Amino acid sequence: MEKLMKPAEYAQELGISRQAVYAKIKRGILKAKNVEGKLYIVVDKTEQEQTAKPVKTSAPKQKNTTAASKTAEKDYKSLLAAKDETISVLKGTVKDLKKSNKQISTTLKGEIDLLKEAFHEMRSLYVMQLEQKKPQTQEVIEVEEEIEVKEEVLEGKWIGLKKFFKMHKVVKEKHQEKMIKRLSKAFKKDDARMMNVEGKLKLNADASYKDILK
């Protein structure tokens, strides 16, 4: 008769670890069966009962004690062997873990090196772009400075229509329109009191405009 036992139960009965049981199954020492997705150890029930039943003999007590000591020694040896198997299994798992850790560390190192290379490439490209943009910004600054200088020169002596009207207190729109017409006629006649700056009429603030304001 066969009996199915769980690995944990079998290990508890023999006084060994579950790792040792699995090692025995792997080596073919123990017979195992898969039932509904669960692993069971196949144990011969008759052999188990025979080992469990005490043997009645008419031998003297001394022989019984020696036999008991021998069986105890055998059990101790089997227990030691099971422990050795457990230790060997644990050593194998530790080696596997070390190998996997080394592989992970090497892959991580490679990824970090790739990231560093990508960062350096991006940095060099950014520096190149900045160097290309530098002369353009300098030219723009130079042009702006020239315009500002021109405006400063003009602001000192030349004024626009708004300032002109404000200076001479020309407030009404109709009056302003008349002034614009007169100023445009004078400008067409090359009046020295007026000049065109970037499409805008500029007037000399120091000049007299009595002929236009009358």
Side-chain angles (χ1 to χ4, degrees):
M1 293 288 290
E2 289 183 347
K3 182 185 176 183
L4 298 176
M5 291 182 73
K6 291 180 181 179
E9 292 174 357
Y10 188 79
Q12 192 174 1
E13 190 173 338
L14 288 180
I16 61 175
S17 65
R18 279 187 292 179
Q19 286 88 351
V21 174
Y22 288 124
K24 284 185 177 185
I25 293 164
K26 196 174 180 181
R27 291 177 185 178
I29 298 165
L30 291 173
K31 190 179 177 183
K33 191 185 281 185
N34 198 344
V35 181
E36 294 180 357
K38 292 182 180 180
L39 189 70
Y40 290 94
I41 296 159
V42 181
V43 183
D44 194 353
K45 200 171 181 182
T46 56
E47 287 179 6
Q48 192 180 12
E49 286 174 358
Q50 282 175 7
T51 53
K53 286 178 183 179
V55 180
K56 290 181 181 179
T57 56
S58 59
K61 288 182 180 180
Q62 286 181 355
K63 287 183 179 179
N64 288 333
T65 54
T66 54
S69 64
K70 282 180 181 179
T71 54
E73 191 177 349
K74 282 181 183 179
D75 291 337
Y76 181 70
K77 284 180 180 179
S78 64
L79 184 64
L80 283 173
K83 295 291 180 189
D84 290 337
E85 285 177 2
T86 307
I87 289 162
S88 65
V89 169
L90 288 170
K91 281 181 179 178
T93 52
V94 168
K95 281 181 182 178
D96 292 336
L97 284 169
K98 281 182 179 178
K99 283 180 182 177
S100 62
N101 283 331
K102 280 181 181 178
Q103 287 174 356
I104 290 162
S105 63
T106 50
T107 50
L108 282 171
K109 210 172 186 182
E111 292 292 331
I112 289 161
D113 291 334
L114 285 170
L115 284 169
K116 281 180 180 178
E117 286 176 4
F119 176 74
H120 287 304
E121 285 178 2
M122 291 290 288
R123 192 177 177 184
S124 61
L125 286 169
Y126 181 68
V127 170
M128 284 173 70
Q129 285 178 356
L130 283 176
E131 285 176 355
Q132 286 175 0
K133 285 180 181 179
K134 271 181 184 178
Q136 291 177 359
T137 52
Q138 285 176 357
E139 285 175 4
V140 171
I141 289 162
E142 286 174 1
V143 171
E144 285 179 355
E145 284 178 355
E146 286 176 4
I147 292 163
E148 284 175 1
V149 169
K150 283 180 181 178
E151 285 178 354
E152 283 176 2
V153 171
L154 290 171
E155 280 177 2
K157 189 176 181 182
W158 300 91
I159 57 172
L161 286 169
K162 285 183 180 180
K163 285 185 180 180
F164 177 79
F165 291 146
K166 195 174 181 181
M167 187 185 290
H168 295 284
K169 295 177 183 180
V170 180
V171 180
K172 292 179 181 180
E173 288 183 9
K174 287 182 179 180
H175 195 191
Q176 287 177 1
E177 286 175 3
K178 285 180 182 179
M179 293 298 107
I180 290 165
K181 285 178 182 178
R182 288 176 185 175
L183 289 167
S184 61
K185 282 180 182 179
F187 177 72
K188 285 175 183 179
K189 291 177 181 179
D190 295 328
D191 196 327
R193 296 173 294 178
M194 303 163 202
M195 66 183 296
N196 187 1
V197 179
E198 294 179 0
K200 291 180 181 180
L201 186 66
K202 296 290 180 179
L203 305 165
N204 191 342
D206 297 332
S208 175
Y209 296 92
K210 287 179 182 179
D211 57 332
I212 292 167
L213 293 168
K214 63 180 180 179

